[in-house]
Amino acid sequence: MNNDIVNLITSLKMNRVLEQEYLRITCNLSMAEYRGIMSQEIGQEMTCMEMSEAMGLSPSRSSRVIDNLVKRGYFVRRVSTRDRRAVSVTLSEKGIEVKERIKKNQKELEESLQKEFSDEIINTIKSSLKMLLEYFD
């Protein structure tokens, strides 16, 4: 495989080097569902509009994602405690378990990277990835 940037990124993704991608797949979550779960803090109540903004999705798309997460038991939907006219969602026990499993895996991956590479290399990788994110944003 050639070593240009796009092929290297593709290789990382294809080889499942990024464990959060592996966990997303093994938890049977779409990328939008993954973002929904990861955008909520434990115990946090968010309206559908707030969830839409946090997930970076249109209100109609986020509504479908939230519906799926409620049906699958990851979210609980209820009348908002802040505004009785609004509906809000919070992570369920099942949602909390999945989120904590993903966060644990992310932490382990981060620790293994920091053991493997020097602080200087880690900082270079981070700054390079930030530049790529900004470029593609």
Side-chain angles (χ1 to χ4, degrees):
M1 172 169 282
N2 97 33
N3 284 329
D4 64 13
I5 294 170
V6 174
N7 280 324
L8 290 170
I9 292 169
T10 303
S11 180
L12 280 172
K13 187 171 174 76
M14 286 175 45
N15 290 327
R16 292 190 178 155
V17 171
L18 302 176
E19 290 296 317
Q20 75 181 33
E21 177 71 5
Y22 174 73
L23 266 178
R24 183 187 68 77
I25 292 167
T26 60
C27 293
N28 196 27
L29 297 172
S30 71
M31 194 49 145
E33 290 168 336
Y34 170 85
R35 285 194 317 235
I37 288 173
M38 297 310 288
S39 67
Q40 271 227 338
E41 296 301 320
I42 295 170
Q44 181 182 24
E45 178 182 285
M46 293 176 82
T47 65
C48 292
M49 187 56 74
E50 290 168 333
M51 284 295 300
S52 173
E53 291 171 11
M55 291 188 291
L57 300 173
S58 69
S60 62
R61 175 71 178 120
S62 68
S63 179
R64 289 190 303 274
V65 171
I66 291 167
D67 287 345
N68 286 338
L69 289 168
V70 169
K71 285 177 191 169
R72 296 178 60 199
Y74 294 111
F75 279 169
V76 176
R77 188 182 317 214
R78 57 179 68 122
V79 175
S80 173
T81 58
R82 295 176 289 168
D83 180 351
R84 298 172 90 195
R85 298 168 293 175
V87 174
S88 65
V89 292
T90 57
L91 287 168
S92 67
E93 286 300 316
K94 182 178 178 181
I96 291 169
E97 288 172 13
V98 167
K99 181 173 180 139
E100 288 181 343
R101 185 170 55 171
I102 291 169
K103 286 173 68 174
K104 179 179 182 263
N105 185 265
Q106 288 173 334
K107 182 181 179 195
E108 289 170 358
L109 180 57
E110 186 75 25
E111 288 171 354
S112 73
L113 288 169
Q114 290 187 0
K115 285 180 186 172
E116 184 69 26
F117 301 105
S118 70
D119 288 345
E120 181 181 353
I121 291 174
I122 290 289
N123 289 333
T124 301
I125 292 169
K126 286 180 181 180
S127 66
S128 298
L129 290 172
K130 285 177 187 176
M131 283 189 282
L132 283 171
L133 285 171
E134 289 171 9
Y135 174 80
F136 288 114
D137 195 16

